[in-house]
Amino acid sequence: MHAQYSRSLRIQKVHFFVGLAISLVFTSLIAFNGFNFWIWQASMVDWLLSFAGVSHKLFISSGVAKGPTFEMPINFRPIPFTTVIVLLFVLASLAVIVNIFRGIPPPVKAVSFVVSILAILTLLWQTMVSPIPAYTLHWVTLDWSCSGVINLCLITLIYVPFLFTIKGPLWVKVFWLFVAIGFSIVWNLLRMSLVTATLYYFGGLVFLLFHYILGAFIDFVYIVTFYSLALAHLSKSEASEAIKFDA
Amino acid sequence: MTLESQIVSLIGHLANFVLLTISAIMCLYVMRHIRFFWNRMFKEQRRCYQDLAGAYTPSVSILIPMHKEERVAADILERFVEMDYPKDGGRYEVIAIDDGSTDATPSIVDEYASKFPFVKAVHRAGNGGNGKPEALNVGLKVASNEIVLTFDADYLPPRDCVKRLVAPFADVEVGGVMGRVVPVNSPESLVTRLIDIERAGGYQINQQARYNLNLIPQFGGTVGGFRRSVLKAVGEFDETKLAEDTDLTYKLYLYGWKVAYVNAAECYEEAVLSWDMREKQLTRWAIGHDQCLFEYFFETLKSPILTFWQKVDGILLLGVYTTPLLILIGWLTGLFTYLAGAPWWCSVFPGILFVFAYNSIGNFAIFAEAGGSLFLDQRRRSIWLLPLVLVNLLANVWVCSKAFFQAIFLHQRGYEQVKPPVWAKTQKRGVGKDNYNKALNSFRNNNTHRWDKTERSGNGMRYYNDIKNAETKRNHRKRG
């Protein structure tokens, strides 16, 4: 009676523990082999940057820096103060205009406002607090905070309680978990290549902003996307089972 | 250290402290939503006295406030005329409140009142249109029955909705009830689809879990109701609040009553179509909810009636429309940590940076709730749209952040500023009935869908008699 309204599922305990084991193994692998993983990432980014024609050198050292480091030749010139003022005025105006103009949907307003404010804060930081020195060589280091290894642990820890517990074939859950992890690895390679290339082409200010915005924000998009695909697949499996049972 | 570097250092420490605080608050919400997800998905569900639906039929008054609702007025009145509920002896009355309408609403309402003796028309010509709570209070004066249910004019209740909603009132501790709202025009636009997903997560998982766990399921302003005596005791609908539903929920709990959530009492609404309308609607809800936050935060903490977990849930529920603002602040202050480098304690406790990263977009549990509800409803195509909930999140960040500051301003200035400029009516297009009929036919033809015939277990009267006997014994003890 009222089965649909009070329907609940039986928790898939075996699948949950399998998922937990995968998560623990993965986290341990990353914890104990993090540096080797960065070296591999750095070599892949090195190849991508060479393919794109971005001039750079890669230093791999576990002693001096925190991780593999890219050295880029940059013809850096500090931004003139008047240009900074103009840029601040333009960004602030953009934030205000976006707020006032009624035709713009709220999500676009939110993104425009946040990006404007982040750009203003980064510009102020660059100009007044910690300007990037006018060296001809700059360095980008891969360490555990920007290499994306946190996301790999995050994906397993999210998917295990929210996906592996739900009714459905284990292979579907494991498949989508590894698809998400694989995509994360590929995306992080592309992201680090893009960000490093940004430093080369556009300088420090854009690099800082781009690096911050392309961080956790984009990761959430694909984590949720693959989760929804996995859930849809499980839902289809459940529906197929119901048809077989009725037949 | 120079003065400049000291100031920078101080700002950096402040930013890190703010980020840590926001992450801690978001962690509380994460744990809350994980708890709800697990409870709804895997634990036994409370059926909210649905075995009594149809067996327990107290007298009921249905209030429908209408302000320029000519497109939808006839549809909803028709639904209540056809409602499967005993209409004899004045036990069922439908009070259509024409709230200062200048279109054809008054004539529609009068037409139904003249045809059906249980339909009453109340006209507020000239001094209407000041908000829903005022209209409801006017209708309350006319209502004469034990239970009062409220419905917005664009809603389309199924024939068994009323008897499902009133069943929980067989429990003497229940002062209010809330049903489930389902958008019926979901395919019309991106906004309607996002609202549909949001509603699914909010009702199927969130509300049901809060009811299961004996926390605070919320009365949502429509598809719900109260005992008339309780409503009068707590001061009726507060006309100074934009979210009179949240206000009433907290009043009931602080007075010792409970709100029951009836997942089986589905009612179909016409969701807003455009971002502009959505912004107005969400602004009203956010300001109203924040008004309740300012009023009930300390009362909830100090309440001698609420349990510890009810207090925790109550506080988190009050703050739910401030979380988008916290997320926005987190994004902006996170930039300091990024530019200045993570503080020393992140190296000592790397898990903290992990938590920062996890909470950077709010929390994943919200998406899991929405996905879980769509899974339970067997709506596979809607599950594919889950990533678009991020668009909704961005909209919430914008609207709720602005609304919080508006609420503070209004709280300082007093309620006189609230009514005319802020109560923005949601326009209806009247497409609900066509979509409802299409959905109804689709549901009936689809054997696996939730439109199931109401089966009887035959246990209804036994439960009803048990409750009545318990009530009789309690009354004897009081007299003794």
Side-chain angles (χ1 to χ4, degrees):
Chain A
M1 178 180 168
H2 312 304
Q4 293 284 45
Y5 308 120
S6 55
R7 184 169 93 110
S8 57
L9 309 172
R10 202 169 57 183
I11 186 170
Q12 303 287 289
K13 286 184 186 167
V14 172
H15 294 188
F16 172 73
F17 285 115
V18 167
L20 200 60
I22 294 174
S23 169
L24 287 171
V25 164
F26 218 81
T27 308
S28 308
L29 273 173
I30 288 169
F32 292 111
N33 292 288
F35 197 76
N36 294 332
F37 182 65
W38 296 337
I39 292 173
W40 174 79
Q41 278 186 316
S43 62
M44 295 302 295
V45 171
D46 175 43
W47 181 82
L48 283 167
L49 289 175
S50 301
F51 180 78
V54 174
S55 178
H56 68 281
K57 274 186 193 170
L58 173 62
F59 294 94
I60 295 175
S61 169
S62 59
V64 178
K66 286 187 266 186
T69 302
F70 291 92
E71 183 185 83
M72 328 272 298
I74 298 188
N75 188 14
F76 177 77
R77 277 183 293 237
I79 306 173
F81 190 69
T82 47
T83 309
V84 170
I85 297 293
V86 168
L87 276 173
L88 285 174
F89 178 75
V90 166
L91 288 168
S93 304
L94 179 68
V96 169
I97 289 167
V98 159
N99 180 25
I100 293 169
F101 191 54
R102 290 181 70 89
I104 299 175
V108 175
K109 284 185 185 181
V111 170
S112 307
F113 180 79
V114 168
V115 170
S116 303
I117 299 298
L118 289 176
I120 289 171
L121 292 175
T122 310
L123 188 55
L124 284 172
W125 179 272
Q126 267 275 75
T127 310
M128 296 167 62
V129 180
S130 180
I132 293 180
Y135 300 148
T136 53
L137 292 173
H138 287 266
W139 297 272
V140 176
T141 300
L142 286 182
D143 64 5
W144 66 286
S145 63
C146 71
S147 65
V149 290
I150 293 177
N151 292 335
L152 299 179
C153 302
L154 206 62
I155 288 169
T156 55
L157 286 176
I158 285 174
Y159 279 33
V160 167
F162 292 120
L163 190 69
F164 276 68
T165 48
I166 292 177
K167 187 178 167 188
L170 178 62
W171 73 264
V172 170
K173 300 166 191 176
V174 174
F175 170 75
W176 284 109
L177 173 65
F178 281 107
V179 164
I181 289 171
F183 185 89
S184 181
I185 292 171
V186 170
W187 163 247
N188 282 317
L189 290 176
L190 288 173
R191 176 177 59 83
M192 285 185 289
S193 307
L194 277 171
V195 164
T196 312
T198 303
L199 176 65
Y200 178 74
Y201 286 113
F202 299 110
L205 173 62
V206 179
F207 161 76
L208 286 173
L209 195 59
F210 205 50
H211 192 197
Y212 181 68
I213 291 175
L214 276 195
F217 296 95
I218 307 296
D219 293 331
F220 227 83
V221 174
Y222 68 79
I223 289 175
V224 173
T225 303
F226 286 116
Y227 176 76
S228 70
L229 288 171
L231 207 57
H233 197 158
L234 289 176
S235 178
K236 186 182 170 187
S237 304
E238 200 204 13
S240 309
E241 258 187 48
I243 290 168
K244 275 189 214 163
F245 181 74
D246 287 341
Chain B
M1 283 173 87
T2 63
L3 180 63
E4 192 184 283
S5 58
Q6 279 179 341
I7 292 172
V8 168
S9 174
L10 187 65
I11 293 173
H13 284 307
L14 190 62
N16 290 328
F17 174 73
V18 166
L19 201 54
L20 196 61
T21 308
I22 290 173
S23 287
I25 294 171
M26 296 309 294
C27 279
L28 285 176
Y29 279 100
V30 167
M31 289 189 287
R32 176 177 184 252
H33 289 290
I34 289 174
R35 183 81 180 92
F36 291 168
F37 176 86
W38 273 59
N39 177 275
R40 179 62 187 93
M41 295 294 281
F42 307 120
K43 300 291 184 187
E44 194 176 333
Q45 305 299 299
R46 289 176 74 182
R47 288 185 176 170
C48 198
Y49 310 96
Q50 290 306 291
D51 288 340
L52 295 176
Y56 176 66
T57 53
S59 59
V60 61
S61 298
I62 295 163
L63 305 183
I64 311 172
M66 298 185 184
H67 179 63
K68 296 182 190 172
E69 306 283 8
E70 62 178 359
R71 290 176 180 168
V72 297
D75 295 337
I76 188 170
L77 288 172
E78 195 64 39
R79 298 304 306 154
F80 280 109
V81 161
E82 293 171 2
M83 190 61 63
D84 179 16
Y85 200 84
K87 298 182 178 68
D88 52 294
R91 295 167 64 205
Y92 179 80
E93 61 179 3
V94 178
I95 301 169
I97 308 144
D98 160 32
D99 191 26
S101 303
T102 53
D103 57 0
T105 304
S107 57
I108 295 171
V109 164
D110 285 336
E111 184 191 336
Y112 274 84
S114 64
K115 277 187 196 166
F116 302 100
F118 52 84
V119 177
K120 292 180 184 170
V122 175
H123 296 285
R124 299 187 69 215
N127 56 347
N130 293 325
K132 192 170 135 186
E134 244 186 62
L136 288 171
N137 282 335
V138 166
L140 200 55
K141 289 182 175 54
V142 177
S144 54
N145 288 332
E146 184 187 343
I147 305 296
V148 171
L149 300 180
T150 67
F151 284 83
D152 284 355
D154 61 323
Y155 278 63
L156 295 167
R159 293 188 68 223
D160 60 352
C161 187
V162 172
K163 64 184 178 193
R164 289 188 190 276
L165 281 174
V166 301
F169 288 107
D171 181 352
V172 296
E173 289 186 337
V174 170
V177 72
M178 179 65 201
R180 181 178 174 181
V181 172
V182 179
V184 75
N185 60 332
S186 170
E188 285 202 21
S189 71
L190 174 63
V191 177
T192 53
R193 288 182 191 278
L194 293 177
I195 292 172
D196 184 26
I197 295 173
E198 187 184 87
R199 295 271 193 274
Y203 284 98
Q204 176 73 285
I205 301 273
N206 209 298
Q207 288 269 60
Q208 179 68 45
R210 279 160 36 206
Y211 180 59
N212 292 342
L213 295 166
N214 195 24
L215 297 174
I216 302 188
Q218 187 185 343
F219 169 62
T222 180
V223 195
F226 305 90
R227 293 181 193 277
R228 191 164 65 91
S229 55
V230 169
L231 203 47
K232 287 196 173 295
V234 302
E236 300 181 354
F237 297 96
D238 189 339
E239 295 170 15
T240 66
K241 298 278 189 323
L242 288 177
E244 79 289 347
D245 44 1
T246 310
D247 176 69
L248 271 172
T249 304
Y250 277 84
K251 276 182 180 163
L252 251 68
Y253 270 89
L254 292 170
Y255 272 74
W257 294 94
K258 289 185 179 160
V259 174
Y261 171 68
V262 185
N263 202 30
E266 285 184 356
C267 190
Y268 307 100
E269 69 156 351
E270 184 186 323
V272 295
L273 198 62
S274 67
W275 281 114
D276 188 41
M277 289 160 69
R278 174 66 175 156
E279 187 171 350
K280 285 179 189 163
Q281 187 185 60
L282 200 53
T283 301
R284 189 176 80 225
W285 291 351
I287 294 176
H289 211 91
D290 291 336
Q291 284 179 299
C292 294
L293 168 66
F294 302 145
E295 183 160 339
Y296 293 111
F297 183 86
F298 290 110
E299 276 195 55
T300 305
L301 272 180
K302 292 186 293 191
S303 167
I305 295 174
L306 298 178
T307 64
F308 173 76
W309 290 114
Q310 283 176 335
K311 287 183 189 181
V312 170
D313 185 55
I315 297 295
L316 291 175
L317 180 60
L318 281 173
V320 80
Y321 278 93
T322 61
T323 52
L325 175 61
L326 292 180
I327 291 170
L328 178 62
I329 295 172
W331 288 345
L332 299 179
T333 51
L335 185 63
F336 274 104
T337 304
Y338 167 69
L339 293 172
W344 63 269
W345 34 265
C346 273
S347 309
V348 177
F349 304 106
I352 293 176
L353 202 63
F354 182 85
V355 170
F356 283 2
Y358 178 76
N359 284 319
S360 64
I361 307 287
N363 74 78
F364 182 82
I366 300 287
F367 299 93
E369 266 189 14
S373 67
L374 296 170
F375 187 90
L376 287 173
D377 287 342
Q378 297 173 345
R379 295 168 55 190
R380 195 170 72 248
R381 286 188 182 177
S382 296
I383 295 176
W384 292 352
L385 299 177
L386 213 53
L388 294 178
V389 173
L390 282 166
V391 177
N392 208 25
L393 170 74
L394 289 170
N396 287 351
V397 165
W398 178 256
V399 175
C400 296
S401 301
K402 277 176 43 180
F404 181 77
F405 294 106
Q406 284 177 283
I408 291 178
F409 173 74
L410 292 165
H411 186 68
Q412 297 300 322
R413 292 290 294 271
Y415 82 91
E416 292 83 10
Q417 303 294 327
V418 172
K419 291 191 300 191
V422 186
W423 190 276
K425 178 180 157 19
T426 305
Q427 295 298 331
K428 314 294 189 315
R429 295 180 311 124
V431 298
K433 186 180 173 187
D434 294 333
N435 290 329
Y436 172 76
N437 286 332
K438 279 183 208 164
L440 183 57
N441 289 331
S442 167
F443 298 166
R444 282 177 177 159
N445 292 334
N446 184 350
N447 290 334
T448 62
H449 203 278
R450 59 179 178 271
W451 192 273
D452 294 326
K453 181 187 173 329
T454 303
E455 296 293 338
R456 298 274 186 265
S457 65
N459 292 328
M461 282 313 295
R462 181 166 66 83
Y463 295 148
Y464 177 69
N465 288 334
D466 286 345
I467 290 167
K468 279 292 176 192
N469 290 338
E471 189 184 321
T472 310
K473 280 181 192 165
R474 205 176 294 124
N475 289 338
H476 280 315
R477 261 186 261 130
K478 278 185 192 166
R479 284 193 219 114

